[in-house]
């Protein structure tokens, strides 16, 4: 049905349907993973890509931030991981055109333990996406603040990892754990897994420590660190309580602008991978 809508120029740019799966991960909580997943997904959907956010955190913050009512969370990531439901049955639409969500629920916390006894426990999300996720150009997985079996499923399913990092003391130390985990996953399960990039979040331009950490992170990870940084912005923190991405809540805000810029950089990198 949509075939006639695919213009040659677009097809050239994207190649044949090429799906990209990005895990948004950092084992630390409160660093901006969910905020980045939700707003990056919105910004990518705004350029007419079909985007799916998979909420892999039992807290369900990504689902809430995208306005998914609890009544619409009866089939969630939990059922997808345990094999009780296919991915397609768990997908719900968000208020953002082109952006869908696989919501999570509190039962997901149990999956961390229940998965241990299941066959192929680290690849269940990958297999679920492979079976039913082909309608999407981009799939963003919002990871929980741990490096357990849920995050392992995300890293096995993903093409690349995006790391939100708060510029604060010990930030580099935290990221080295994640880097080791990525390396281990690459060796054992997913040899082509890449670090898509590191995004500095909640940046406060007036803070000397934040500046020093930023220059350390850039010195160490070089071009892997996005030029765009996400400023600390009150509109970003207000938006989730309205069930809206900041791009819908206040398009003019600094936070919204920053996420649009970030999406531009991410898409450019992704197209570089395609070339
Ligand atoms: N750039 C920002 N400016 C202000 N508040 C932010 C920003 N990014 C995130 N927050 C707020 O900080 C808290 C933690 O962010 P969140 O994205 O939930 O982190 P994580 O998913 O890593 O736990 C949330 O209340 C969120 O609204
Ligand atoms: Mg979160």
């Amino acid at each position: 049905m949509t075939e006639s809508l695919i213009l040659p120029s677009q097809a050239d740019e994207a190649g044949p349907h090429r799906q990209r799966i990005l895990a948004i991960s950092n084992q630390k909580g409160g660093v901006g993973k969910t905020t980045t997943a939700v707003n990056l997904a919105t910004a990518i959907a705004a350029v007419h890509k079909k985007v799916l956010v998979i909420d892999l955190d039992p807290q369900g913050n990504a689902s809430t931030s995208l306005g998914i009512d609890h009544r619409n969370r009866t089939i969630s990531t939990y059922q997808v991981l345990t094999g009780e439901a296919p991915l397609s049955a768990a997908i719900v639409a968000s208020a953002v055109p082109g952006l869908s969500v696989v919501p999570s629920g509190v039962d997901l916390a149990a999956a961390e333990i229940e998965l241990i006894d299941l066959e192929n426990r680290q690849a269940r999300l990958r297999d679920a996406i492979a079976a039913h996720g082909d309608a999407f150009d981009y799939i963003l997985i919002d990871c929980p603040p741990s490096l357990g079996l849920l995050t392992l499923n995300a890293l096995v399913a993903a093409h690349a990892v995006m790391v939100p990092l708060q510029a604060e003391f010990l930030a580099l130390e935290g990221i080295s754990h994640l880097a080791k985990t990525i390396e281990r996953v690459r060796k054992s399960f997913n040899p082509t897994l890449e670090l898509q990039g590191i995004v500095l979040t909640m940046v406060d331009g007036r803070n000397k420590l934040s500046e020093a950490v930023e220059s350390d992170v850039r010195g160490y990870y070089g071009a892997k660190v996005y030029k765009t940084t996400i400023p600390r912005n009150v509109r970003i923190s207000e938006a989730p309580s309205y069930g809206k991405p900041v791009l819908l809540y206040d398009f003019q805000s600094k936070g919204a602008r920053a996420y649009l810029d970030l999406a531009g950089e991410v898409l450019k990198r992704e197209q570089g991978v395609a070339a």
Side-chain angles (χ1 to χ4, degrees), residues 163-203:
V163 183
L165 190 72
Q166 207 182 336
E168 59 181 14
F169 190 53
L170 296 180
L172 267 176
E173 197 157 301
I175 209 172
S176 73
H177 282 293
L178 181 58
K180 276 187 208 126
T181 304
I182 293 172
E183 197 46 52
R184 245 180 272 137
V185 172
R186 216 182 262 145
K187 282 205 181 101
S188 309
F189 306 112
N190 187 2
T192 57
L193 181 67
E194 295 171 280
L195 176 63
Q196 217 276 347
I198 298 168
V199 56
L200 290 158
T201 59
M202 294 179 246
V203 171

Side-chain angles (χ1 to χ4, degrees), residues 49-261:
K49 307 269 185 207
K50 293 208 71 187
V51 185
L52 178 68
V53 169
I54 298 181
D55 191 346
L56 206 57
D57 186 341
Q59 293 183 79
N61 293 340
S63 312
T64 305
S65 302
L66 285 166
I68 309 300
D69 195 280
H70 280 275
R71 278 169 303 183
N72 290 330
R73 298 191 202 176
T74 45
I75 304 178
S76 70
T77 348
Y78 174 80
Q79 280 86 354
V80 173
L81 289 171
T82 55
E84 285 164 55
L87 187 85
S88 54
I91 296 171
V92 293
S94 78
V96 181
L99 174 56
S100 304
V101 187
V102 172
S104 87
V106 283
D107 47 5
L108 189 57
E112 193 87 63
I113 292 160
E114 290 174 24
L115 282 176
I116 294 173
D117 295 325
L118 298 182
E119 196 186 319
N120 222 1
R121 62 189 175 201
Q122 77 287 340
R124 301 194 65 96
L125 185 61
R126 182 193 70 193
D127 295 347
I129 293 172
H132 291 279
D134 60 351
F136 299 95
D137 302 310
Y138 280 88
I139 298 182
L140 271 50
I141 307 170
D142 185 28
C143 292
S146 69
L147 295 175
L149 207 37
L150 288 172
T151 294
L152 181 60
N153 264 271
L155 297 180
V156 170
H159 296 111
V161 190
M162 176 152 183
V163 183
L165 190 72
Q166 207 182 336
E168 59 181 14
F169 190 53
L170 296 180
L172 267 176
E173 197 157 301
I175 209 172
S176 73
H177 282 293
L178 181 58
K180 276 187 208 126
T181 304
I182 293 172
E183 197 46 52
R184 245 180 272 137
V185 172
R186 216 182 262 145
K187 282 205 181 101
S188 309
F189 306 112
N190 187 2
T192 57
L193 181 67
E194 295 171 280
L195 176 63
Q196 217 276 347
I198 298 168
V199 56
L200 290 158
T201 59
M202 294 179 246
V203 171
D204 180 355
R206 291 161 304 182
N207 183 325
K208 285 271 173 249
L209 175 64
S210 157
E211 255 173 49
V213 173
E214 176 171 350
S215 86
D216 274 3
V217 174
R218 289 194 190 279
Y220 198 78
Y221 284 96
K224 281 289 177 193
V225 187
Y226 300 101
K227 288 198 191 79
T228 307
T229 61
I230 310 299
R232 189 174 280 286
N233 176 246
V234 68
R235 307 304 262 173
I236 289 181
S237 57
E238 287 168 359
S241 60
Y242 296 88
K244 283 183 180 174
V246 72
L247 281 139
L248 290 193
Y249 175 63
D250 185 354
F251 187 75
Q252 297 295 341
S253 65
K254 273 190 184 170
R257 296 285 149 178
Y259 274 109
L260 278 176
D261 290 346

